[in-house]
Amino acid sequence: MKQEKEMPFNGDFEDSEADEDEQSQESESEEEQIQIKKKKKKVVNSSKKLIMNVSDTQYPVVKFVGKMIYKFKLSYVPYLENNNWDFCWTDNAVLPETLSKMQPHQRINHFPGMYSLARKNHLGRNLNKMQKQYPDEYDFYPRTWMLPSEYGDFKAQFQKGKAKTFIIKPEASCQGKGIFLTRSIDSINPQEHYVAQRYIHKPLLIDGLKFDLRIYVMICGCDPLRIYLYKEGLARFATQLYSSPHSTNLDDACMHLTNYAINKDNPNFIFNEDEKKMDIGHKRSMTSVFDLLRIQKQNVDQLLIDIKDLIIKTFCAVQPILQQNYTQIENYANNMCFEILGFDILIDSSLKPYLLEVNHTPSFTTDTPLDSYIKKNLIRDAITLMNINVKTKNDIISQKKDQMQKRVLTGKKTKLSYEEKRVLKMQAQKERDEYESKNKGDFELIYPCDKSYDEYLQHAQKLYEDWTGANIRRNLKRDTIAEQSKPQSCTQKPILTQKSQLYKHVQSKVNTNLFPTKTTKADQEVTQEEPEQTLQQIPEPIQSQPQLEPDNFVTYEDYQQSESLKDLYNFAEKRIPEIQLIDLIQFRRAESKQDNSSFQMIQMSQQNSLSNLSPLMQIKSIQDSKNEKKFSIRKKNKQPKQIDQEQLYFQPQPHYQPPIQQHSISYQQQVQIQNGSFVKPKVFSLKLQHPPKGYKLQSLPILMQQNYTKQRYEQGV
């Protein structure tokens, strides 16, 4: 490895094999190229050299490390079209579908779902959620608003006296594009998507210049988290002397922004020309800045502890998202993906670090010798730490073949239990720890560590479940399992008995209201002489009423004993249809008493048969009678004739309907208008004769149409 470290890289690299592949592709016909591509898809790399796919990267340093240091064979075929590669380096995000198609021995340099950190709006949203629960622990980033969703809250910041400065960033941009400072809400379009942050007015200065740190962090496992911090990084300086923001210097980007892409075109920018002199220029090494702070008697050790804590808490906020997108179930070593992230951290005058943003594709350009030295060693140590070599690949393939042979012999796919999977994970993790402790290079393992972050991880998991609805599905599943495990004590029979008891109660109420029993003098004398015997004959009230379903009625006696107005109101709402029908029948019965005495004999003769019918059957017969309409055929030049009442009411009926006959008699006695026209209906207001205690039923208008049968002419159908 010492010889590899000394291998120089001047910033340029050209692969001769790539030129040969291009020439061969130009000479071959299109059909031959298609056949070759089909063969390449089927063929698995069986050579002694590993294949590194670099079709989707623009950085020469990546190709240099793979070709010159690790002796990989570089492939320029798009990795999505050809799966014949062992290690892929891409500059773009990776989808979960890509990861699901990978073989166990393949490695790729991105995690699916890393947008939760890389996108400024997602990062701010995830950190804000954690800050609501842990305001003191998650205070390592400027206060952030996502626009336009939080435009109202952000606008209120400008109405509180002293003018404040905010830095506005597009939610999906890089290299300082579209960033500006503002002190007025009018300069922001409320329809545009921005991320607004409080501007840090008192940053730490070196030589009067504002600077930030580009710290390289490598995550090489998400379940569980496994985080490494690279010991070397970059310090990027502004090119104009810093002064506090005010209305005259808000547009000076080279004073307030430290992005290399913005300051490198400034004539004051000084490039580093010697990798051994890392403390010169506007781009310096991170270690040289720490050494300078130590000379100034600053507590750099505590600063590094705070930076590590900041990084770990940031990953804790998004760990459930990364775990959900990592779809490799049988990857017990948790090592198919890794990612080098660029954390941009600003230090204030009190030596407190603030997280500005996270870059999932940090720039690997090598404009200066300092860039070439740091970034070449960073990529080299990352590949070494991931144990990407021929021996590891062959071991994984041989294990896969053994599993396939067992499956062929047994004819069944062996399903491992949870305990067996846990043992395999622990064994793979132990082997990985032993290897990485000896081959970590300039990386430092910062998580897992001695300090516990389980509280933050659990809360982040809860937030993720609330956001996706996973907790609702889990609770429903748990409830269904609990219901299935319970013995089925409540069968259908008790419910039917409850309904039958309720029906009997309603029937008794309706019967008593329709046909009250007349007590004779003899009965009154008996009740006066023997009060004790009658009391003994009254059944005791049932102390425990059956629990009815919400759709069923509740007995009236229970609500007579209740003193709660709310319960009475709910009871009355359920009993309104029953009470209205009872009062309607009472009204019509009282009205029928005032009719002609010739029909009283008919009513008395029908009482015996009426008592045999249930009230519900009577109500049903009334509803059926409303649907039955009598019409007559229209005959020209004929006057309507009056129908004899006795002929109408004494004609045979298909089925017995005493209440309908009473109803029709009351209407036939009234005066009819010629040609069958309708009479203006009367409106009656019904009230409860015995309302529940504390409840007043509103009057209900009931339309009584006199010409009920809509007879137009003399002869009915």
Side-chain angles (χ1 to χ4, degrees), residues 663 667 678-679 681-682 703-710:
H663 183 267
Y667 285 129
F678 294 101
V679 181
K682 296 180 181 180
L703 300 179
M704 307 292 291
Q705 185 174 328
Q706 292 184 357
N707 193 2
Y708 177 74
T709 56
K710 295 184 181 180

Side-chain angles (χ1 to χ4, degrees), residues 503-517:
Y503 174 79
K504 292 178 181 179
H505 171 73
V506 173
Q507 182 179 5
S508 62
K509 283 290 179 184
V510 174
N511 288 333
T512 53
N513 290 327
L514 284 175
F515 309 108
T517 56

Side-chain angles (χ1 to χ4, degrees), residues 402-554:
D402 294 341
Q403 293 178 4
M404 292 297 294
Q405 288 179 358
K406 290 181 181 179
R407 183 176 179 181
V408 170
L409 293 174
T410 58
K412 296 181 181 179
K413 185 178 180 180
T414 56
K415 293 183 179 180
L416 301 177
S417 62
Y418 175 79
E419 187 65 25
E420 292 174 344
K421 291 180 180 179
R422 190 179 67 83
V423 172
L424 290 175
K425 285 183 179 180
M426 293 177 62
Q427 182 180 357
Q429 195 63 44
K430 183 178 179 181
E431 295 176 356
R432 186 176 182 181
D433 292 339
E434 294 176 356
Y435 173 82
E436 292 179 356
S437 62
K438 299 177 183 178
N439 299 276
K440 58 185 179 181
D442 290 334
F443 279 104
E444 177 188 358
L445 181 66
I446 61 174
Y447 189 84
C449 59
D450 297 335
K451 184 179 178 180
S452 176
Y453 291 86
D454 294 340
E455 183 179 2
Y456 308 123
L457 290 171
Q458 292 174 1
H459 184 67
Q461 182 68 30
K462 180 180 179 297
L463 291 175
Y464 179 75
E465 291 177 353
D466 293 341
W467 177 56
T468 58
N471 57 342
I472 299 175
R473 294 191 295 269
R474 186 178 62 251
N475 293 336
L476 289 174
K477 185 177 180 181
R478 183 179 58 191
D479 295 341
T480 53
I481 293 173
E483 290 178 0
Q484 292 176 0
S485 61
K486 287 182 180 180
Q488 297 182 355
S489 58
C490 297
T491 58
Q492 189 69 17
K493 289 184 178 180
I495 296 174
L496 292 175
T497 55
Q498 293 171 6
K499 290 183 178 180
S500 62
Q501 292 176 2
L502 177 64
Y503 174 79
K504 292 178 181 179
H505 171 73
V506 173
Q507 182 179 5
S508 62
K509 283 290 179 184
V510 174
N511 288 333
T512 53
N513 290 327
L514 284 175
F515 309 108
T517 56
K518 296 181 181 179
T519 57
T520 59
K521 295 182 179 181
D523 296 335
Q524 292 179 0
E525 292 176 359
V526 172
T527 53
Q528 290 177 1
E529 291 175 359
E530 300 178 358
E532 296 179 358
Q533 295 180 1
T534 55
L535 290 173
Q536 292 177 359
Q537 293 176 0
I538 297 174
E540 296 181 358
I542 301 173
Q543 296 179 359
S544 60
Q545 294 290 341
Q547 296 180 357
L548 303 179
E549 297 179 350
D551 296 336
N552 295 333
F553 292 113
V554 182

Side-chain angles (χ1 to χ4, degrees), residues 123-379:
L123 175 63
R125 187 178 296 108
N126 291 323
L127 293 179
N128 284 343
K129 290 179 181 179
M130 297 295 291
Q131 190 185 44
K132 290 180 180 179
Q133 182 70 18
Y134 307 103
D136 297 333
E137 290 79 1
Y138 277 82
D139 62 343
F140 52 79
Y141 69 101
R143 189 176 178 185
T144 307
W145 294 267
M146 270 61 66
L147 305 180
S149 60
E150 298 177 356
Y151 183 81
D153 187 16
F154 178 66
K155 185 178 180 180
Q157 304 299 317
F158 294 88
Q159 301 174 358
K160 297 180 180 179
K162 187 178 178 181
K164 301 177 182 178
T165 306
F166 297 89
I167 182 168
I168 312 300
K169 307 176 183 179
E171 63 181 20
S173 66
C174 59
Q175 298 180 351
K177 298 176 183 178
I179 300 177
F180 63 94
L181 274 66
T182 183
R183 282 191 164 190
S184 174
I185 190 65
D186 298 332
S187 61
I188 301 173
N189 185 357
Q191 303 299 329
E192 294 291 334
H193 290 262
Y194 289 113
V195 174
Q197 289 183 327
R198 279 295 307 271
Y199 185 80
I200 299 175
H201 294 74
K202 297 180 179 180
L204 182 65
L205 304 178
I206 294 179
D207 299 335
L209 301 175
K210 181 181 177 180
F211 71 96
D212 71 346
L213 301 177
R214 168 60 62 86
I215 298 178
Y216 295 104
V217 180
M218 180 176 171
I219 174 174
C220 51
C222 64
D223 186 22
L225 273 178
R226 197 168 186 85
I227 308 170
Y228 281 90
L229 173 67
Y230 198 63
K231 295 180 180 180
E232 192 57 278
L234 295 173
R236 306 174 301 177
F237 286 77
T239 52
Q240 296 288 344
L241 294 176
Y242 179 78
S243 62
S244 298
H246 51 82
S247 58
T248 59
N249 66 359
L250 291 178
D251 297 333
D252 194 348
C254 293
M255 177 190 295
H256 301 290
L257 303 181
T258 60
N259 300 77
Y260 172 72
I262 294 176
N263 289 277
K264 68 178 181 179
D265 297 330
N266 192 293
N268 298 332
F269 190 88
I270 300 174
F271 287 88
N272 177 277
E273 298 179 355
D274 189 357
E275 64 180 20
K276 295 181 180 179
K277 297 179 180 180
M278 299 183 180
D279 57 348
I280 297 174
H282 287 87
K283 183 185 282 188
R284 308 178 189 179
S285 67
M286 184 176 65
T287 54
S288 66
V289 173
F290 288 160
D291 293 340
L292 181 61
L293 294 177
R294 287 190 178 94
I295 294 172
Q296 297 176 358
K297 296 182 180 181
Q298 299 282 359
N299 192 355
V300 179
D301 295 335
Q302 183 62 39
L303 174 63
L304 287 172
I305 292 173
D306 295 339
I307 290 174
K308 294 174 185 177
D309 183 68
L310 175 156
I311 294 170
I312 296 171
K313 289 178 180 177
T314 303
F315 278 109
C316 289
V318 299
Q319 189 271 340
I321 301 175
L322 300 178
Q323 179 181 352
Q324 183 67 23
N325 286 274
Y326 190 77
T327 56
Q328 287 296 331
I329 301 174
E330 297 182 356
N331 181 230
Y332 302 116
N334 190 27
N335 62 351
M336 289 187 67
C337 297
F338 72 97
E339 190 158 356
I340 298 175
L341 301 167
F343 277 67
D344 293 344
I345 294 178
L346 180 70
I347 304 173
D348 66 357
S349 57
S350 61
L351 217 68
K352 180 180 179 180
Y354 285 90
L355 176 64
L356 300 181
E357 61 182 38
V358 180
N359 299 274
H360 79 293
T361 55
S363 175
F364 286 103
T365 55
T366 53
D367 297 343
T368 64
L370 178 66
D371 288 319
S372 301
Y373 177 77
I374 293 177
K375 294 174 182 178
K376 178 197 69 174
N377 294 337
L378 170 64
I379 297 171

